[in-house]
């Protein structure tokens, strides 16, 4: 049971780490070094804004799942694991959303980051859902701004 609680806490921490980059300021987000004042810059800002919003939605839903799983961990480990398993379909749902967003992106680096993020979410398990998105999320944050 202690191992399960540790696993839940690890997943919770990784989920927070994954989504932290999505809540950045609007300062100069959405600009890229090569696309100032062009239609691509407008698209990049829009796609980045939508990616941040999707990240926030994912964070909210994942946190709710993890909170329920942690609440059950002390009394019913089986139920806790079932709840934690909800992360997988959630990740698949957001995989499709990030994939569609990536298809619309004009900036190739942004498109690549969203494609990688989508693939990572598609391959996520209950234990790796948050961790598997870390590298792509860092790239996305670098492109869209902090």
């Amino acid at each position: 049971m202690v191992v399960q609680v540790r696993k839940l806490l690890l997943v919770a921490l990784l989920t927070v780490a994954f989504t932290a980059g999505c809540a950045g300021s609007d300062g100069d987000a959405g600009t890229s070094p090569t696309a100032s004042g062009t239609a691509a810059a407008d698209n990049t800002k829009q796609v980045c804004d939508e990616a941040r919003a999707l990240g926030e939605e994912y964070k909210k839903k994942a946190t709710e799942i993890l909170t329920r799983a942690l609440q059950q961990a002390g009394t019913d480990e089986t139920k806790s694991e079932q709840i934690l398993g909800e992360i997988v379909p959630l990740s698949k749902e957001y995989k499709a959303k990030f994939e569609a967003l990536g298809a619309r992106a004009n900036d190739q680096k942004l498109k690549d980051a969203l494609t990688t993020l989508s693939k990572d979410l598609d391959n996520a398990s209950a234990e790796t859902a948050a961790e598997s998105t870390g590298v792509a999320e860092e790239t996305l944050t670098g492109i869209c701004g902090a």
Side-chain angles (χ1 to χ4, degrees):
M1 170 119 108
V2 172
V3 173
Q4 180 64 22
V5 172
R6 286 182 186 161
K7 186 189 325 181
L8 287 171
L9 291 174
L10 177 62
V11 171
L13 291 173
L14 291 172
T15 299
V16 171
F18 155 63
T19 57
C22 296
S25 68
D26 289 333
D28 59 351
T31 60
S32 70
T34 61
S36 59
T38 66
D42 293 341
N43 176 270
T44 299
K45 180 177 179 358
Q46 179 183 2
V47 171
C48 283
D49 289 347
E50 290 179 40
R52 280 190 202 92
L54 285 176
E56 284 299 312
E57 287 175 22
Y58 182 84
K59 176 182 178 180
K60 181 179 177 182
K61 291 178 180 182
T63 300
E64 189 273 331
I65 290 169
L66 294 170
T67 300
R68 286 188 295 121
L70 285 170
Q71 289 170 344
Q72 288 292 319
T75 58
D76 188 345
E77 189 173 335
T78 301
K79 180 68 174 170
S80 178
E81 288 183 25
Q82 288 174 340
I83 294 169
L84 186 59
E86 294 174 21
I87 290 286
V88 174
L90 178 70
S91 296
K92 301 280 187 200
E93 174 187 342
Y94 279 84
K95 172 255 184 202
K97 292 179 180 187
F98 281 112
E99 189 173 60
L101 197 55
R104 291 188 9 238
N106 291 338
D107 182 270
Q108 190 61 47
K109 289 181 182 178
L110 179 56
K111 183 183 290 282
D112 291 346
L114 289 167
T115 299
T116 300
L117 180 58
S118 298
K119 288 178 183 176
D120 288 343
L121 285 170
D122 191 37
N123 296 323
S125 67
E127 292 81 17
T128 65
E131 181 181 12
S132 65
T133 61
V135 172
E137 179 60 23
E138 286 177 20
T139 302
L140 185 60
T141 300
I143 294 167
C144 292

